[in-house]
Amino acid sequence: MKGRIVRSLLGFLFLGSLLALSTTAQEPPIMLDRESHLPDGLTISSQPVPSGVTSVDGSTVNYVSPSTIVYAIDFDYDLCFNVTVYSPDSLEYMDRFDVDLPDYWSVLSVYPMAPTGCSVDTIAGVGTGNVVYWQIDGTIPSECGPWSPGTYDFCLRIDVPGCFDAPWSLPWNIIGDGWGELPPHQVSGTTNPLDCLPARLYLSGDSIYGITCQGVTNKVVFNLANHTGAEGT
């Protein structure tokens, strides 16, 4: 009787150990989300990250404003790039946006863009080859970029001295922060062709045709556009 009780107890212990091992094997591993890569002092989260999902595929430059380039000596104006940062699961942010301008364009200033993603410093400026950029002030990829998925206007002030080689299609790059496993973490393209409009006064239409009678008053409308960069009467 005593041996049977011992054997029964050993059997229960053996089954209990198998159940414990089975339960342990079914528990998913704990993965930290992108906040575990934030700078010191920011919160660390323990929510799981979907494996192999994050990328910046789908990010793009939607349009350039103005789409018609107006040029004149000593005439400067703002040029803006409407950029969409996209991530399939909204977890990868953007580290850098840059666009390659024609070498003879003068970049007078680059307007900063405030971060919307991770709380990090950013810089903006003009690099070699007249490439204007907005990026994280640090190592790329950062795994925690300044700009979260969304749509932004990146603007600069320029002076375009002539219409050489117009129309222009400007090459651009969007570089993600490298978070996640699914490429691409960088997308590239070119803007739609930008026309060049020489600086002068424009009158339209050039001519107007119609039929009228002697002694009848008719109204004729012309449109005058001032693309000179100066005010006048």
Side-chain angles (χ1 to χ4, degrees):
M1 184 69 178
K2 182 179 180 180
R4 185 180 302 172
I5 294 173
V6 171
R7 285 194 296 273
S8 298
L9 288 173
L10 289 174
F12 282 123
L13 289 172
F14 177 72
L15 288 173
S17 64
L18 287 178
L19 289 172
L21 288 173
S22 175
T23 302
T24 303
Q26 293 176 4
E27 291 180 355
I30 295 177
M31 296 179 292
L32 300 181
D33 73 358
R34 69 175 3 267
E35 293 183 10
S36 63
H37 293 267
L38 294 179
D40 294 340
L42 297 182
T43 304
I44 294 179
S45 172
S46 59
Q47 297 178 357
V49 172
S51 177
V53 175
T54 306
S55 75
V56 291
D57 191 22
S59 299
T60 190
V61 175
N62 301 305
Y63 58 85
V64 183
S65 179
S67 58
T68 299
I69 301 299
V70 181
Y71 83 89
I73 297 174
D74 297 326
F75 176 31
D76 54 84
Y77 55 96
D78 291 340
L79 184 70
C80 294
F81 300 87
N82 185 262
V83 177
T84 292
V85 180
Y86 178 77
S87 170
D89 55 11
S90 299
L91 288 177
E92 183 164 13
Y93 298 170
M94 186 177 72
D95 268 349
R96 174 181 168 108
F97 167 66
D98 65 62
V99 59
D100 190 357
L101 305 179
D103 291 342
Y104 61 88
W105 288 18
S106 296
V107 179
L108 306 178
S109 59
V110 181
Y111 299 109
M113 171 58 68
T116 60
C118 293
S119 181
V120 293
D121 292 332
T122 60
I123 54 176
V126 184
T128 304
N130 217 21
V131 175
V132 61
Y133 61 85
W134 295 259
Q135 69 170 60
I136 186 172
D137 187 7
T139 303
I140 297 175
S142 67
E143 294 195 338
C144 200
W147 295 286
S148 57
T151 299
Y152 310 96
D153 285 321
F154 292 91
C155 299
L156 61 152
R157 196 155 188 86
I158 60 170
D159 185 358
V160 180
C163 288
F164 318 116
D165 301 323
W168 303 288
S169 293
L170 309 179
W172 55 262
N173 293 290
I174 294 173
I175 302 176
D177 62 14
W179 178 262
E181 301 174 4
L182 183 65
H185 299 292
Q186 175 176 346
V187 289
S188 302
T190 56
T191 64
N192 291 331
L194 304 179
D195 293 326
C196 186
L197 188 64
R200 61 181 179 226
L201 294 172
Y202 289 87
L203 185 68
S204 61
D206 295 330
S207 59
I208 295 179
Y209 297 91
I211 298 175
T212 186
C213 297
Q214 182 177 358
V216 175
T217 300
N218 293 94
K219 183 178 180 180
V220 178
V221 178
F222 291 90
N223 293 300
L224 179 66
N226 178 2
H227 287 301
T228 64
E231 295 182 359
T233 301

